[in-house]
Amino acid sequence: MADVLPLVEARLHSALGEPDARAAVTFLGTDRIEVLRFPAAGQEGDVVRYATLGMSAQPMADPTAVLADPVKGPRAELVLSVRAGVADTDKVLRPLAVLAASPQVEGVIVAPGASLDVGEPLWPGAPFTSVLVAEPGGLVEDLELDAPLDPVRFLPLLPMTPNEAAWKRVHGAPALQERWLNHGTDLRDPSRRSVSLD
């Protein structure tokens, strides 16, 4: 079976450019997860992006399955985009690695519409402790792999305040995203306030 990660890294480079930093985190009993930092460039000159590398090495397994299928199953990496220079967002590397390891550690399948919570601020002083997993395909295209492997999807993460996360649990992800849209919320602002939820 071909190693998926070099193909994933090549896709990230082609979509986001060359990373200017990377950090590796290994959790007990899991594969190594790297987080790559892509500096602000091009049209969106103030947006820095962080992408995980390692989550897609194995397919995510249905937590109810008796045995995990080593070949079939959804594969994904996580991508977070934030405005540079506003907060110490480089400290998000470890929380991102924790989220990327959650399929191996907790046996969860990370999919669009899901909430992921790290239980602490995503970076020092951040008003967010969780993220909403958004639909893939916009920033980094899916990476098709040889059959029978599922494609690797690059899932954007949208930081949520605790109030937004609680509201989303009741009303659902589409309702929260519509509220953000209607209020013109800048989801890349690392110090934004919660959207009005009245």
Side-chain angles (χ1 to χ4, degrees):
M1 201 55 85
D3 188 359
V4 173
L5 296 184
L7 303 174
V8 171
E9 185 165 0
R11 173 58 55 92
L12 286 170
H13 287 207
S14 66
L16 304 177
E18 287 298 313
D20 65 353
R22 61 197 306 151
V25 181
T26 307
F27 303 100
L28 193 62
T30 68
D31 294 333
R32 176 176 137 130
I33 303 281
E34 286 191 274
V35 180
L36 281 55
R37 179 186 187 275
F38 295 89
Q43 294 175 320
E44 296 176 294
D46 63 342
V47 175
V48 62
R49 305 189 194 282
Y50 303 92
T52 64
L53 179 64
M55 182 176 170
S56 61
Q58 297 177 29
M60 291 182 272
D62 182 342
T64 61
V66 179
L67 285 174
D69 189 319
V71 176
K72 288 190 170 180
R75 293 173 189 259
E77 297 289 355
L78 308 176
V79 182
L80 174 70
S81 302
V82 290
R83 299 213 176 279
V86 180
D88 189 8
T89 55
D90 283 351
K91 296 285 195 321
V92 78
L93 300 180
R94 184 170 176 79
L96 269 184
V98 168
L99 296 178
S102 61
Q104 287 184 62
V105 175
E106 298 168 32
V108 295
I109 292 181
V110 176
S115 301
L116 303 175
D117 198 316
V118 294
E120 61 184 24
L122 292 175
W123 52 82
F128 320 105
T129 60
S130 62
V131 293
L132 175 65
V133 182
E135 290 291 337
L139 187 62
V140 186
E141 285 184 31
D142 291 357
L143 173 64
E144 297 294 333
L145 300 173
D146 293 337
L149 302 184
D150 286 29
V152 176
R153 304 170 87 198
F154 298 88
L155 302 172
L157 301 180
L158 308 175
M160 291 188 292
T161 66
N163 283 350
E164 290 169 340
W167 196 86
K168 180 253 174 192
R169 278 194 293 278
V170 175
H171 299 279
L176 177 59
Q177 289 177 294
E178 188 176 332
R179 192 155 280 258
W180 281 337
L181 194 63
N182 291 342
H183 285 79
T185 307
D186 180 4
L187 296 173
R188 294 172 176 168
D189 179 355
S191 55
R192 73 172 179 85
R193 295 175 185 271
S194 184
V195 71
S196 171
L197 299 170
D198 299 334

